[in-house]
Amino acid sequence: MATTPALHDALLDFTSRENWDKFFALRGDGDSFEWYAEWPQIKAPLLSLLLGEEGTEILVPGCGSSSLSEQLYDLGFRRITNVDFSRIIVADMLRRHARVRPQMRWRVMDMTNMQFPDGSFDFILDKGGLDALMEPEVGTKLGMKYLDEAKRVLKSGGKFACFTLAESHVLDLLLSEFRFGWDMTIQAIASEPSSKSAFQTFMLVMVKGKMGVVHTIKSLVDQSAEYCNMQQANAVIHALQNENKIRESHNSGVDILFSLRDLQLGAIGDLKVIVPGRRRQLILGEQGSSLYCYKAVLMDAKNQNETFVYHCGVFIVPKARAQEWLFASEEGQWLVVESAKAARLIMVFLDSRHASADIDVVKKDLSPLVMDLEPEYPEETDPMPFMMASDGVKQRDILQEVTSEITGPMVVEDVLYENVDGDQSCMSEKMFRRLIFKRSSGLVQSEALLIRESPSDETDSKTKNSSASSKKKSQKKGLTGSKDSLRVDHSYLGSSYHSSIICGLSLVASALSAAASSGERVSTTIVGLGAGSLPMFLHGCLPHLNIEVVELDPMMEEVATKYFGFSMDEQLKVHLGDGIKFIEENAHSEPNGKDSDAVRILIVDVDSSDLSSGLSCPPANFVEDAFLMSAKKFLSAGGLLIINLVARSSAVREMVISRLKAVFENLYSLQLEEDVNEVLFASPSKRYLEIDHLDEAATKLKAMLKFLVDVESDMKNLQRLQ
């Protein structure tokens, strides 16, 4: 039914009670109104769900002035409760139906906060209610509240039928919110022959089942059928295919990394109940709900007959100790659970983003996130305790604090760890130099291993630069003696994602080998200098690379040179400027300034100062279509784009993946188990890729490397993103 301009203006916001009151007042009483899906089209599929169940308790949330309830009532379904938050429409519907349909019930009620006991209804019938709540500007908050309420008031075995236009943001919410413990089917509603509607209506039916069970979706939407909007139908079919892949992965037995919302939805069963020996990995926090994201493991003690000090506790593991056997292995983690004397332990692993964050801020940030993970203990009134392993830093020496107009405040410090990878024998000998960005809540941007120079190295150094020698005499002694005898070891990679970047070069190992054999230089561009660790490692590890680093902040070059041993030569240069403009301006240039068959490599390793986009790395404009198209042209006929990705939410990650897929024919991912980083590898063609022989390619790359890197182990985790 068409609306007048005045009615249209009244509903600029579908979530506003006042706007709906105004809309119904302007329409007047006594007339039904359907936004879409008229009774003749939905009668058959709806009655097939209700066949022989005339005594069913039916709830119609957001009923409006639809004739749907009266049609069902007249067919014998008497126990129908209609709710709407507009007093005007409820009063009108009561006047229209009180005498002729006396058993029908009407309530003025907000469907996101319904005053019904749990399990009150056998059947919930939503026709456009969820769609109205899901205004793009509002986000998913109201939709999630409504679905939580609908699931609460529905009986076990009950059905929730939702008529919707299945716009992507609405369908995504339905698929994820009914993923665990619900049996779902979907079908398209036939259009009237005379209808010229631009949109296709769909009916999704969710049956409330056993918590934690995952069913694949049964779809009656056929790609070969004719719909009034084929683009809309194809989008639904594609979304269902992706969702079923996710559901199949949950049933495959692999160790899934859950979100907190997954657990709240019952992904691992009832969180209020302890299940002895249960262990699940999850991510806590996301953009808008917390300051940080955290990787965590939920563990229920194997022997629940023990005497516990705590019914539930949180154990924080600092980054410096995350790789120790005690915390990194499942066997070690169970020992921690046992020693913590907790019936349930939530182990939270800090990473580079939390390195210099105040621990009290971290605890405050975690507190609301872990509340939903607490099991039910009626007699327990004490707050959940926080326990913590030592941060592993035995001693800290701040060398320099500087502030850049571009990067903001930075700290260069030397730290001595209490433990390094569990090796107690060499503890006192290992010192690290760290570069910290304070703008990102103390992000450790780079970490380099310091080693002692041999006497001959020191003599050579003094001979080369006697003026530097006199300056050194005035420098103070550091953590373990004079800093004169220490230098950065450029054969060491402090960041595990840097190792993944190196390992991913296996994808183009044959092209790298061919270039090395022919004496050809391989053009390698790195956007983001940091402390210079990655370019210096690559320079020494693969000497035939011609490396150009693009860095926006001149102070970064100064810090890298002064404190981290970064140096330039003919094969390693720095271009100061904007990385996006550099790639755009050089998109059509030939590698090494001449025609060449050599592979070309582009690495984007930049952190973001603006976390509002949900991306910690890289900045949002590095994953926009314009830059990705420039990168594709920059790589010309082939080559490899490598991106260090840290996304604060799965939705943002999926957006990035989707954009990369749209531009690049080939896309691979290395997800780091112990960190939040994910390294993406994209190529515009298969010209240089070793897709079918990755094991051989990894061996080939390892043979080329001058420094030791565990290529084979990382490459086992490489996944192609379809």
Side-chain angles (χ1 to χ4, degrees):
M1 179 181 292
T3 60
T4 66
L7 289 173
H8 181 270
D9 292 344
L11 280 181
L12 292 177
D13 179 3
F14 283 90
T15 66
S16 166
R17 185 197 310 261
E18 292 74 18
N19 283 0
W20 279 108
D21 282 342
K22 183 179 177 182
F23 173 83
F24 289 123
L26 287 170
R27 277 192 50 80
D29 55 16
D31 189 14
S32 63
F33 182 86
E34 309 294 340
W35 287 99
Y36 45 75
E38 303 280 346
W39 174 250
Q41 283 71 56
I42 66 174
K43 178 181 177 181
L46 189 54
L47 291 182
S48 69
L49 300 173
L50 292 166
L51 188 64
E53 299 184 20
E54 284 75 8
T56 296
E57 287 284 353
I58 299 174
L59 172 67
V60 183
C63 60
S65 59
S66 170
S67 66
L68 180 59
S69 296
E70 65 185 76
Q71 299 283 0
L72 286 172
Y73 189 97
D74 293 346
L75 288 172
F77 298 94
R78 299 286 191 261
R79 306 185 68 80
I80 302 175
T81 301
N82 303 274
V83 303
D84 202 292
F85 66 180
S86 170
R87 292 184 180 277
I88 290 176
I89 196 57
V90 171
D92 179 39
M93 297 298 273
L94 270 170
R95 281 193 297 270
R96 288 165 55 183
H97 299 292
R99 290 187 179 181
V100 292
R101 299 176 181 87
Q103 292 176 261
M104 187 119 71
R105 297 182 291 271
W106 302 89
R107 299 285 186 272
V108 177
M109 194 178 292
D110 184 347
M111 58 201 253
T112 68
N113 185 25
M114 293 186 277
Q115 279 74 60
F116 298 118
D118 295 0
S120 296
F121 299 96
D122 304 290
F123 195 94
I124 297 177
L125 179 51
D126 179 309
K127 184 165 163 293
L130 178 62
D131 285 3
L133 289 177
M134 293 285 287
E135 287 284 290
E137 297 79 11
V138 177
T140 61
K141 184 177 180 180
L142 288 176
M144 288 176 65
K145 284 184 66 177
Y146 162 51
L147 294 182
D148 281 345
E149 281 292 273
K151 288 185 279 189
R152 180 184 65 80
V153 302
L154 190 65
K155 295 177 182 177
S156 179
K159 299 171 184 175
F160 178 16
C162 180
F163 291 92
T164 172
L165 297 180
E167 293 178 275
S168 60
H169 62 293
V170 177
L171 186 59
D172 287 348
L173 183 69
L174 281 167
L175 297 179
S176 60
E177 290 292 297
F178 290 95
R179 183 175 293 155
F180 306 104
W182 296 81
D183 202 350
M184 179 183 286
T185 59
I186 181 170
Q187 68 182 90
I189 300 300
S191 302
E192 249 185 302
S194 60
S195 172
K196 294 183 180 180
S197 173
F199 299 103
Q200 175 69 53
T201 304
F202 297 87
M203 182 177 76
L204 281 80
V205 180
M206 286 70 70
V207 182
K208 190 173 185 177
K210 184 180 179 182
M211 187 178 287
V213 177
V214 180
H215 302 279
T216 54
I217 301 166
K218 303 176 186 70
S219 174
L220 301 177
V221 184
D222 189 350
Q223 205 156 14
S224 63
E226 287 293 326
Y227 301 103
C228 65
N229 188 320
M230 288 305 299
Q231 183 178 357
Q232 184 188 4
N234 287 332
V236 169
I237 292 168
H238 181 68
L240 294 177
Q241 289 171 343
N242 288 340
E243 176 64 19
N244 273 335
K245 287 179 182 177
I246 294 172
R247 294 180 179 221
E248 287 163 6
S249 71
H250 281 286
N251 288 324
S252 66
V254 299
D255 197 0
I256 299 291
L257 187 63
F258 294 99
S259 69
L260 177 59
R261 184 60 182 168
D262 288 339
L263 268 58
Q264 291 168 336
L265 292 172
I268 63 171
D270 191 349
L271 287 174
K272 297 300 179 185
V273 178
I274 293 280
V275 179
R278 176 166 60 182
R279 176 184 178 274
R280 294 292 186 273
Q281 297 187 73
L282 65 147
I283 294 292
L284 293 171
E286 59 183 26
Q287 184 184 7
S289 68
S290 61
L291 292 176
Y292 301 105
C293 230
Y294 308 87
K295 185 174 179 181
V297 179
L298 179 147
M299 305 179 77
D300 289 344
K302 293 179 178 180
N303 184 2
Q304 291 292 324
N305 294 321
E306 292 184 12
T307 301
F308 296 108
V309 177
Y310 310 110
H311 75 283
C312 186
V314 180
F315 191 95
I316 299 174
V317 181
K319 181 195 174 191
R321 303 194 63 185
Q323 296 310 299
E324 293 179 26
W325 175 87
L326 187 64
F327 305 115
S329 69
E330 184 174 340
E331 186 179 354
Q333 290 170 1
W334 284 118
L335 291 177
V336 176
V337 174
E338 187 178 336
S339 64
K341 298 294 182 184
R344 171 174 293 170
L345 192 67
I346 303 158
M347 295 184 69
V348 178
F349 296 85
L350 302 186
D351 54 54
S352 56
R353 293 168 304 170
H354 319 108
S356 294
D358 187 279
I359 193 60
D360 290 330
V361 172
V362 169
K363 290 178 181 178
K364 186 177 179 180
D365 194 37
L366 278 169
S367 292
L369 301 177
V370 297
M371 280 179 59
D372 285 340
L373 302 179
E374 192 171 10
E376 197 166 49
Y377 272 74
E379 67 277 9
E380 184 65 53
T381 57
D382 293 335
M384 202 183 306
F386 280 86
M387 298 165 267
M388 187 171 180
S390 156
D391 68 357
V393 176
K394 183 178 181 180
Q395 223 170 329
R396 177 180 280 107
D397 184 7
I398 295 177
L399 305 183
Q400 184 72 52
E401 293 186 70
V402 295
T403 299
S404 160
E405 292 182 3
I406 297 174
T407 307
M410 295 180 279
V411 175
V412 179
E413 64 179 19
D414 285 351
V415 295
L416 189 65
Y417 288 125
E418 294 174 349
N419 197 345
V420 178
D421 298 333
D423 185 0
Q424 299 286 346
S425 63
C426 60
M427 298 296 323
S428 60
E429 299 302 318
K430 292 202 174 182
M431 190 191 305
F432 294 85
R433 182 158 295 168
R434 311 198 304 188
L435 173 62
I436 296 172
F437 287 177
K438 287 192 170 183
R439 71 182 184 192
S440 299
S441 302
L443 168 71
V444 177
Q445 199 281 337
S446 297
E447 183 173 79
L449 176 66
L450 295 175
I451 57 174
R452 295 195 178 281
E453 290 185 312
S454 65
S456 60
D457 289 336
E458 291 186 74
T459 303
D460 290 345
S461 175
K462 290 175 184 177
T463 303
K464 290 177 183 176
N465 195 342
S466 59
S467 62
S469 176
S470 60
K471 187 182 292 186
K472 287 179 181 178
K473 292 178 181 177
S474 64
Q475 291 181 338
K476 64 179 181 180
K477 290 190 176 182
L479 297 174
T480 56
S482 172
K483 286 186 168 45
D484 295 6
S485 61
L486 296 174
R487 65 174 177 84
V488 169
D489 180 2
H490 291 298
S491 68
Y492 170 86
L493 282 177
S495 298
S496 52
Y497 80 87
H498 279 167
S499 297
S500 295
I501 288 175
I502 305 300
C503 294
L505 294 177
S506 297
L507 285 165
V508 292
S510 290
L512 290 174
S513 179
S517 299
S518 64
E520 184 122 31
R521 301 294 183 193
V522 175
S523 174
T524 303
T525 303
I526 303 175
V527 181
L529 174 64
S533 301
L534 179 60
M536 288 295 287
F537 184 91
L538 279 170
H539 185 43
C541 196
L542 290 167
H544 65 293
L545 299 186
N546 206 41
I547 303 171
E548 184 160 19
V549 183
V550 186
E551 173 57 51
L552 183 63
D553 189 348
M555 189 170 285
M556 292 308 307
E557 184 185 357
E558 294 178 24
V559 169
T561 303
K562 183 175 181 180
Y563 294 103
F564 291 87
F566 178 76
S567 61
M568 291 184 281
D569 58 25
E570 287 301 311
Q571 289 172 238
L572 174 55
K573 298 180 180 179
V574 173
H575 172 87
L576 294 174
D578 183 283
I580 291 177
K581 289 182 179 178
F582 180 88
I583 299 303
E584 183 181 310
E585 292 168 358
N586 291 274
H588 298 287
S589 66
E590 291 293 338
N592 308 319
K594 60 181 180 179
D595 291 339
S596 173
D597 261 347
V599 66
R600 199 170 194 179
I601 297 167
L602 170 57
I603 301 171
V604 177
D605 184 20
V606 196
D607 82 302
S608 175
S609 59
D610 176 18
L611 300 182
S612 62
S613 66
L615 281 172
S616 298
C617 296
N621 49 1
F622 279 91
V623 291
E624 289 177 355
D625 293 341
F627 174 77
L628 295 179
M629 289 304 298
S630 294
K632 182 178 181 180
K633 293 175 184 175
F634 184 82
L635 294 174
S636 187
L640 207 57
L641 167 64
I642 305 174
I643 296 178
N644 170 34
L645 177 68
V646 180
R648 285 174 59 83
S649 77
S650 58
V652 172
R653 177 193 177 271
E654 288 304 316
M655 176 270 293
V656 173
I657 299 298
S658 177
R659 288 180 180 176
L660 280 162
K661 284 181 180 178
V663 176
F664 292 93
E665 181 182 330
N666 304 278
L667 184 62
Y668 294 83
S669 164
L670 263 176
Q671 180 72 57
L672 279 67
E673 293 181 5
E674 74 282 0
D675 217 334
V676 295
N677 300 69
E678 178 179 9
V679 182
L680 301 174
F681 305 88
S683 182
S685 76
K686 296 180 180 179
R687 179 178 177 185
Y688 297 113
L689 297 186
E690 302 271 354
I691 296 173
D692 300 320
H693 308 285
L694 282 176
D695 289 343
E696 295 174 20
T699 303
K700 189 178 294 184
L701 176 69
K702 189 171 184 179
M704 277 189 282
L705 301 179
K706 304 301 181 185
F707 302 145
L708 184 64
V709 180
D710 190 1
V711 179
E712 291 92 343
S713 294
D714 262 15
M715 290 304 289
K716 288 177 182 177
N717 297 320
L718 186 76
Q719 292 183 332
R720 181 165 189 178
L721 302 177
Q722 301 295 335

